[in-house]
């Protein structure tokens, strides 16, 4: 071994022994630790494929839940043009069609979607939120039924283009049901669940 290689080896060994370089495993110094990987990219599992969805200049909302009650996690995705349902099967996520199409939203708004048992009947209902409206879709034996607009986020017309909205669910008022918290650039609003029991 050449002299400079010996010097480098002993310097690295000494720094590691002092805890100044590398780390120890089983009381033995190890040099140049490899980078730990926590998540592995598995590529695209499904595509939204809604009319003009690729023109939406903002984010897509996505949520997971056991929509069909078979014990695995299905996927709901939404863009400014609509909402789609993907069923989890042994072969992967299968496109089961459009739950609802949206009209009148600009192609640069951000949307979000969430699943929750809002009417407490044991299945997962759906909330879709955009800067202009919040829509409720009730899960029924015939699929998701559009129950209409239940509110509007706090977003002014001037900030509508490119605005981002996010939704969170929880029993905010401690009455046993799921309420909605909607965040937008101009504020955070609470929508209390008053669906009759």
């Amino acid at each position: 071994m050449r002299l400079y290689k010996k010097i480098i080896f002993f310097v690295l060994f000494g720094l590691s022994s002092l805890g100044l370089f590398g780390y120890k495993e089983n009381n033995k110094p190890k040099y140049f630790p490899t980078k730990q990987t926590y998540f592995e990219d598995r590529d695209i599992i499904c595509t939204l494929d809604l009319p003009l969805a690729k023109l939406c200049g903002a984010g897509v909302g996505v949520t997971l839940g056991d929509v069909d009650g078979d014990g695995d996690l299905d996927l709901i995705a939404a863009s400014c043009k609509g909402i789609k349902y993907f069923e989890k099967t042994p072969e992967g996520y299968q496109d089961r069609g459009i739950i609802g199409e949206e009209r009148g939203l600009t192609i640069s708004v951000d949307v979000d979607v969430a699943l929750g048992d809002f009417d407490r009947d044991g299945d997962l209902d759906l909330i879709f939120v955009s800067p202009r409206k919040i829509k409720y879709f009730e899960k029924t034996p015939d699929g998701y039924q559009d129950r209409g607009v239940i509110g509007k986020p706090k977003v002014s017309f001037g900030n509508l283009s490119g605005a981002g909205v996010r939704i969170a669910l929880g029993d905010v008022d401690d009455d046993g049901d799921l309420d909605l918290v909607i965040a937008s650039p101009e504020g955070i609003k609470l929508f209390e669940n008053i669906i009759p029991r």
Side-chain angles (χ1 to χ4, degrees), residues 19-58:
L20 301 176
F21 180 84
Y23 65 98
K24 286 188 176 183
E25 186 176 279
N26 297 326
N27 208 29
K28 295 180 180 179
K30 296 194 75 172
Y31 312 106
F32 310 108
T34 57
K35 185 177 180 182
Q36 178 66 49
T37 301
Y38 296 98
F39 297 94
E40 186 170 345
D41 185 349
R42 295 297 190 188
D43 208 1
I44 295 173
I45 58 174
C46 52
T47 58
L48 199 51
D49 196 28
L50 283 164
L52 302 178
K54 291 183 178 180
L55 295 178
C56 295

Side-chain angles (χ1 to χ4, degrees), residues 8 11-24 29-33:
I8 291 174
V11 167
L12 295 179
F13 181 83
L15 291 175
S16 178
S17 299
L18 293 172
L20 301 176
F21 180 84
Y23 65 98
K24 286 188 176 183
K30 296 194 75 172
Y31 312 106
F32 310 108

Side-chain angles (χ1 to χ4, degrees), residues 75-187:
L75 186 149
I76 302 290
S79 78
C80 66
K81 296 301 176 186
I83 309 159
K84 288 195 85 172
Y85 165 45
F86 297 88
E87 180 188 358
K88 177 72 180 298
T89 71
E91 292 76 35
Y93 283 96
Q94 304 298 317
D95 186 344
R96 298 303 187 217
I98 295 173
I99 293 174
E101 288 194 55
E102 290 303 311
R103 297 283 188 266
L105 291 178
T106 66
I107 62 173
S108 60
V109 300
D110 202 1
V111 300
D112 203 6
V113 66
L115 290 168
D117 187 9
F118 300 104
D119 53 7
R120 290 150 291 172
D121 63 352
D123 54 26
L124 292 176
D125 309 303
L126 187 149
I127 295 290
F128 170 84
V129 60
S130 75
R132 284 186 174 169
K133 57 188 171 183
I134 305 163
K135 293 186 75 174
Y136 171 49
F137 294 82
E138 181 186 357
K139 179 71 187 303
T140 73
D142 299 320
Y144 282 100
Q145 303 299 316
D146 186 346
R147 300 305 187 203
V149 176
I150 60 172
K152 295 182 179 181
K154 184 178 175 61
V155 180
S156 68
F157 181 78
N159 290 331
L160 187 59
S161 180
V165 288
R166 289 292 174 262
I167 184 171
L169 311 177
D171 186 8
V172 177
D173 51 5
D174 299 317
D175 63 352
D177 56 25
L178 289 175
D179 306 300
L180 311 178
V181 176
I182 310 293
S184 73
E186 296 185 18

